[in-house]
Amino acid sequence: MSHRNKVLRPQLGVIALAVLTLAAQAAPADLPPAAPSAAEGAAADGAAAADGAIVGAVQTVYVTTRRRVESSQNVPTPMTVLGDDVLDGSRTYRVQDLQQLLPSTTINYVHARQMSFAVRGLGNNPASDGLEGSVGIYLDNVYLARPGMAAFDALDIQQLELLRGPQGTLFGKNTTAGVLNIATRKPTLATERSIELSAGQYGYVQGKAILNGALADSVAGRLSVYKTHDDGYITNRYTGKPVQGGTRQGVRAQALFEPGRAFSLRLVADYNGEESDNGTLVFYNAGPSGKALAQAKLVGATPVLDPRERAVNLDSGSHVSVHQGGVSAEANWTFADDARLTSITAWRRWNFVPNNDDGLDVPINLNVGASANHRQFSQELRWATPSGRALESVFGAYYYYQELSNNSFTVNGALVDLYNGTPAGAWSNVRSYAPSSLRVNSYALFAQSTWHAGERWDLSAGLRASYEDKWARVTRDAPLGGAPVTGAALASRNGRYGAYDSGPLGLDQFSPTALLSAGYKLAPEVLLYSSLSHGEKSGGINLSVPGAGGAASLLVGSERSNAWELGFKSTLLDNKLQFNGNLFATVVHGYQSNAYDPVSRTSYLTNAGNVRTRGLELEGIATPLKGLTLRANGSFNDASYLKYTNAPCAPERSGTFCDLSGRNALVNAPRWIGNLGVQYAHALAPGWQAYYNANYAYRGSTYGTLDASEYSKIPAYSVSNLSLGLRSTNGVAWDVSLWLKNAFDRHYYTSMWNSGFGSYNAVIGTPRTAGITARHEF
C-alpha cells in the first residue's frame, strides 16, 4: 500500500462530506409530496399495534431492497422481514438468536470473533480475520465487514430483512449467499421518551432508554442507550462461580436534517462494549481414541465429562473484551423528476482481546487466542431513476478500505510438555506472539434495471464489477521464556514456536456479479418469479502461521456461486393470509470454510471444494381472528459436496486427507429448519390490553466440524419461548410482560469445535430462563 493511498483515504471522507453540504445548499426546494420511506411505511402500518389497537389483517411491509420503497410482496426475490413486534414478542435482542425466527439460517457463535452467519448452509467461516463472510450484514446501509461487528444487543431496531442468494447489483459489498439488513429507527420531530427495565434468572438485568425529539425546526435527534448484565449459565467448578456471562453496553446517537423533500442528511454515531467470559466451551466427547482423557489423567486434570451438567473445570478461565463503534453520514437528494442520488460515507472500528483457557484445571496453556484490531472506511454513491416509469434503474459505485492487525498468542504452563508428549522443557513456560497485518482496497461499479414490460410482466437485469487488492504479512516472534534447551527439545520448540516471516503477501482479483429475473403477476396479489444469478467473493489471506499445510495454505481462493430461484408470493383471503414459497438451487465453486490443523491445533480458512445446495422454503402469515397472528416458516436444504477430495479426515478415519464428495456433510447445514409463532392481543378493560406470544423453533441434526466426524454431530433440537403481558392503550403508556425462554428446558448445542487428540468441545444453548420486562413511555 503506497503512502499516496493512505493520504487519499481521509481526503475521500472530507471531499464526500463537502459535496454533501454543497449539494444540500443547491438542492431544489419546490417538489411534489414524497412517497413514504420504508421505515415510515413500516411505522405507519405498525402504528396500530404500537398504540394498542387490535388489527385483523396481515400488515403490508415496506422495503427498499431495490432502492425504492415498495411492498416486500412485490420484490421477486426470497426474503424474510421481521418487525420490532416480532423481535420484542420473542425476546430476541441479540443477532445470534435470529436463527430461531428465520428460515434457512444458521448462526455459529462462540464470542464476537468466532461468529458466522450462514444462509442455506453457506457461510460458516468464523474467526476469518483475512476474509469477509459469504453473508453480508448491514447496519443502516453500512456494511459490517465481519459478523462479530453485529454481536451486540439489538438497540432501537425498526426492521430486519434477510435476502437469500447472491447479492451486489444494487448496493454495498458483493456477497455469495445473502444479506442481513438491520434498520434502526430514524429520528423524528415528535417527542418520544421511554425507559425499559428487565430482570431474569442467571443474574440477567437489562436497562434501555430512548430520547427523541426536535433539535431545531428541520433537525430531529434520537439517543438510545442500553446496558445488559448476566452472570452466565455454566458453572466453573474450579472457582465455584458462573461463567458464560458478562456486561454489554452501548449508545447510539443520531441527527436527521430534513428541510424538505429535496434533501435529507442522517448522521449516526454509535459505540458498543463488552466485558464477558463468552467463549466458554463444554467438553463434548473424547473422540474414538479417548486419548484426550488419558492425557488429562496423566497431568492430574479432572475435566467435567458430561456436557449436560453445564459445568467446566478451568484454572485460568476465559474472558473477552470487545470495543467497537463508528460514524456514518447518509445523504439523499430527490430531484424534480423524482430521481434520487444517495451518498453513504462511513468509518468503523472493532477491537477484540481474548483470554482463553485450555479447558483443564492444571497449567497446560494459561492463555491462548488471537486479538484483532479492525478499521474500515466505505463510500457508496447511488443514482436511482424516477419510479413509476416503464424502465427503472439504479447505478452505483462503491469503495471499501480496511486495515487489520492481529496477534496470535500462546502462554504455556509448566505441564504442557507432559500433556502433549513433547521433550521435557520444549514447550513448558514458553510464550509465543505472532503479529500479522492486512490491508484491503475494494472498488466496484454496479447497476440494475427493471423493465415493466406490461401490466403483469417485470424483467430485471443487474451487473456488478468488483476489483480487490489485498496485502498482508504474517510473522511470529522468537519464543520467550522457558528453560534453555538443546537437541530434540530445542527442535520441538522451534518447530512449534520458532520465528517466522511470510514476507509480503498479495492477492488481486476481479469478481463479477450478475442477475437476471422475471416476475409475473398472476393476479393483483399473486406474484410468480424466477431468477438466475452469479456471485463471486474474492479470496483471502490466512493471518496465522501455517501448520501442516505449509506456506501454500496462507492464500485462499475465490468463492463463486451460481444460483437459481423459482417462487411465488401471494396475499389471499382479503389480506388475512400471506403465503410465499420458493425452490432454490445453488452451486458454489471454491467454497470457503474453516478447517482445523491437528498439528498446530489452530483453525484456518480453506477452499472446501465444490458445493451444491438445493431445496424448498415456505413462509406464511395468517390473521384468522381479530388480534390473532400466526407465523410459520420452514426450509428443506439438501446441501452436499459435489467434489471435495482433500478434506481433513475425521479422527475415526485413517489418513491425512479424505474424500467427502457426494456427502451431505457441510458444517452446520441442517436439512430441516422450522419456526412457528403465535401472537394474540385482546382488550382486557377500558384502556388496557392483554397480549400473548409463543414461538417454537426446530433444527435438524447436522455435522459440526469440517471433518464430518460422527463424533461432532449436533443432535436435532427444538426451543420454545413464551411471554404474556399487559399494556395501557390510553394516555401515558405502560407495558409489563413476563417471559420464559427455552420454556421446556431443552438441552441443545449450537456449534461444535475440534480440540486436542481428536476430541470435541461444544457451545451449549441457554437453559430455561424466566424474567420480567417493564416499559414506560412518557
Side-chain angles (χ1 to χ4, degrees):
M1 178 59 57
S2 69
H3 176 72
R4 178 176 177 270
N5 281 344
K6 290 184 178 181
V7 172
L8 280 176
R9 286 193 305 274
Q11 289 179 346
L12 285 171
V14 173
I15 292 171
L17 290 175
V19 170
L20 302 185
T21 304
L22 291 173
Q25 295 172 352
D30 298 324
L31 294 174
S37 68
E40 289 166 344
D45 275 326
D51 293 340
I54 300 173
V55 296
V58 177
Q59 300 299 293
T60 303
V61 175
Y62 293 97
V63 297
T64 56
T65 306
R66 296 192 288 185
R67 302 301 99 187
R68 54 193 80 241
V69 178
E70 58 188 329
S71 166
S72 62
Q73 289 297 95
N74 292 331
V75 180
T77 191
M79 63 186 305
T80 302
V81 183
L82 300 178
D84 58 345
D85 58 331
V86 177
L87 299 174
D88 289 343
S90 60
R91 287 295 301 167
T92 301
Y93 62 92
R94 304 198 70 184
V95 170
Q96 50 265 41
D97 295 328
L98 286 175
Q99 63 182 2
Q100 298 179 15
L101 300 174
L102 296 171
S104 299
T105 300
T106 301
I107 301 173
N108 265 347
Y109 178 77
V110 177
H111 47 54
R113 182 172 177 268
Q114 289 183 322
M115 177 180 176
S116 66
F117 199 105
V119 172
R120 297 171 176 171
L122 304 176
N124 285 301
N125 45 6
S128 50
D129 286 342
L131 189 71
E132 299 86 11
S134 300
V135 178
I137 300 179
Y138 290 80
L139 177 63
D140 289 329
N141 295 321
V142 175
Y143 174 69
L144 306 181
R146 48 191 312 136
M149 297 176 80
F152 52 82
D153 288 16
L155 181 62
D156 214 12
I157 301 298
Q158 173 87 43
Q159 188 167 281
L160 295 174
E161 303 163 14
L162 174 68
L163 284 70
R164 301 184 285 277
Q167 306 292 327
T169 61
L170 279 166
F171 59 92
K173 202 79 165 55
N174 50 313
T175 61
T176 54
V179 159
L180 177 70
N181 189 36
I182 306 172
T184 66
R185 295 184 182 277
K186 292 182 178 180
T188 64
L189 295 175
T191 300
E192 177 187 346
R193 298 183 295 266
S194 69
I195 186 170
E196 179 179 299
L197 297 174
S198 300
Q201 292 177 281
Y202 303 102
Y204 172 76
V205 179
Q206 183 183 68
K208 296 181 180 180
I210 295 172
L211 180 63
N212 178 92
L215 301 178
D217 288 344
S218 301
V219 182
R222 191 174 186 90
L223 180 67
S224 311
V225 298
Y226 80 90
K227 187 170 185 177
T228 305
H229 175 82
D230 58 289
D231 294 335
Y233 51 88
I234 298 175
T235 301
N236 185 358
R237 292 181 177 170
Y238 190 88
T239 62
K241 296 180 180 180
V243 293
Q244 197 68 352
T247 299
R248 301 177 298 277
Q249 56 191 348
V251 59
R252 187 173 185 81
Q254 303 183 64
L256 178 62
F257 173 54
E258 201 164 19
R261 187 199 171 202
F263 176 73
S264 69
L265 174 64
R266 184 187 186 188
L267 303 176
V268 182
D270 69 89
Y271 166 80
N272 292 276
E274 175 184 346
E275 299 290 339
S276 75
D277 41 36
N278 281 326
T280 302
L281 305 179
V282 299
F283 178 84
Y284 188 64
N285 65 52
S289 70
K291 186 176 180 180
L293 298 182
Q295 295 304 106
K297 184 177 180 181
L298 180 66
V299 294
T302 55
V304 178
L305 303 182
D306 185 358
R308 302 184 69 89
E309 295 182 10
R310 299 185 183 277
V312 292
N313 196 13
L314 310 179
D315 56 344
S316 298
S318 298
H319 182 84
V320 296
S321 177
V322 187
H323 298 276
Q324 65 166 311
V327 293
S328 67
E330 177 176 339
N332 287 279
W333 297 265
T334 304
F335 297 91
D337 61 353
D338 203 33
R340 172 172 288 199
L341 175 64
T342 299
S343 170
I344 303 172
T345 308
W347 176 88
R348 299 198 64 83
R349 69 178 296 268
W350 185 86
N351 189 66
F352 175 86
V353 179
N355 186 99
N356 297 315
D357 194 275
D358 53 21
L360 299 173
D361 57 332
V362 294
I364 307 298
N365 299 122
L366 305 180
N367 190 10
V368 61
S371 61
N373 189 0
H374 169 111
R375 287 174 171 80
Q376 67 175 66
F377 169 82
S378 60
Q379 174 63 56
E380 181 172 356
L381 292 172
R382 286 196 309 264
W383 175 266
T385 63
S387 300
R389 299 188 180 181
L391 185 65
E392 297 175 342
S393 301
V394 173
F395 304 93
Y398 184 78
Y399 172 70
Y400 171 82
Y401 175 79
Q402 173 188 326
E403 282 186 352
L404 184 141
S405 59
N406 76 351
N407 188 8
S408 300
F409 56 85
T410 302
V411 180
N412 289 334
L415 298 179
V416 66
D417 287 318
L418 180 60
Y419 179 74
N420 287 283
T422 48
W427 297 359
S428 293
N429 300 313
V430 167
R431 305 187 307 277
S432 175
Y433 300 94
S436 301
S437 57
L438 170 75
R439 289 197 295 268
V440 178
N441 278 288
S442 178
Y443 314 84
L445 296 174
F446 56 87
Q448 182 168 317
S449 294
T450 298
W451 176 37
H452 303 291
E455 294 184 0
R456 295 177 180 267
W457 281 99
D458 282 349
L459 303 175
S460 297
L463 187 65
R464 178 192 184 96
S466 300
Y467 174 77
E468 292 190 356
D469 68 80
K470 297 183 178 182
W471 178 95
R473 189 163 192 161
V474 179
T475 66
R476 183 168 61 200
D477 301 335
L480 303 174
V485 291
T486 58
L490 179 60
S492 177
R493 178 181 294 182
N494 289 334
R496 181 62 179 271
Y497 302 113
Y500 179 86
D501 189 343
S502 68
L505 300 169
L507 197 65
D508 300 323
Q509 187 165 337
F510 171 77
S511 302
T513 301
L515 168 73
L516 289 174
S517 71
Y520 176 73
K521 281 283 189 177
L522 185 65
E525 299 298 334
V526 179
L527 171 68
L528 306 180
Y529 66 89
S530 182
S531 68
L532 293 172
S533 58
H534 172 81
E536 290 195 16
K537 188 161 68 73
S538 67
I541 302 174
N542 277 300
L543 297 185
S544 57
V545 176
S553 66
L554 288 172
L555 298 181
V556 183
S558 63
E559 179 178 282
R560 306 174 305 281
S561 68
N562 297 306
W564 168 81
E565 310 275 355
L566 177 65
F568 68 90
K569 296 186 176 185
S570 62
T571 304
L572 310 170
L573 304 178
D574 196 24
N575 284 351
K576 291 188 178 296
L577 174 64
Q578 181 176 292
F579 184 45
N580 302 337
N582 62 279
L583 297 168
F584 66 87
T586 303
V587 174
V588 180
H589 298 275
Y591 178 55
Q592 297 166 342
S593 187
N594 259 33
Y596 178 76
D597 183 355
V599 176
S600 63
R601 296 182 187 173
T602 57
S603 294
Y604 65 97
L605 288 163
T606 185
N607 293 105
N610 300 332
V611 167
R612 180 186 63 200
T613 67
R614 57 186 179 182
L616 170 69
E617 297 166 334
L618 295 173
E619 297 184 74
I621 305 175
T623 55
L625 302 172
K626 187 175 182 179
L628 176 64
T629 301
L630 307 177
R631 301 175 184 271
N633 64 63
S635 58
F636 168 77
N637 184 20
D638 176 30
S640 61
Y641 290 107
L642 294 177
K643 183 179 181 181
Y644 191 17
T645 56
N646 60 337
C649 285
E652 65 267 29
R653 302 178 67 183
S654 60
T656 303
F657 299 109
C658 290
D659 189 354
L660 295 182
S661 302
R663 292 187 57 186
N664 296 102
L666 266 70
V667 176
N668 226 333
R671 292 173 71 88
W672 296 98
I673 294 177
N675 303 299
L676 300 173
V678 180
Q679 292 177 291
Y680 180 60
H682 67 91
L684 190 65
W688 292 95
Q689 183 185 100
Y691 61 91
Y692 315 88
N693 295 277
N695 293 88
Y696 171 85
Y698 171 82
R699 306 181 68 78
S701 63
T702 182
Y703 288 101
T705 53
L706 190 65
D707 56 19
S709 172
E710 296 300 318
Y711 290 88
S712 69
K713 262 199 165 182
I714 302 175
Y717 68 89
S718 63
V719 176
S720 300
N721 302 319
L722 306 172
S723 68
L724 59 88
L726 181 68
R727 58 187 167 215
S728 61
T729 56
N730 293 328
V732 178
W734 290 91
D735 189 326
V736 179
S737 63
L738 301 174
W739 44 267
L740 191 62
K741 303 198 71 173
N742 191 5
F744 303 105
D745 203 20
R746 301 296 190 193
H747 185 87
Y748 65 99
Y749 308 94
T750 59
S751 63
M752 294 286 168
W753 297 85
N754 298 89
S755 191
F757 304 111
S759 63
Y760 294 93
N761 294 331
V763 177
I764 197 168
T766 307
R768 178 168 53 210
T769 308
I772 184 173
T773 296
R775 177 183 174 87
H776 178 47
E777 297 180 1
F778 54 98

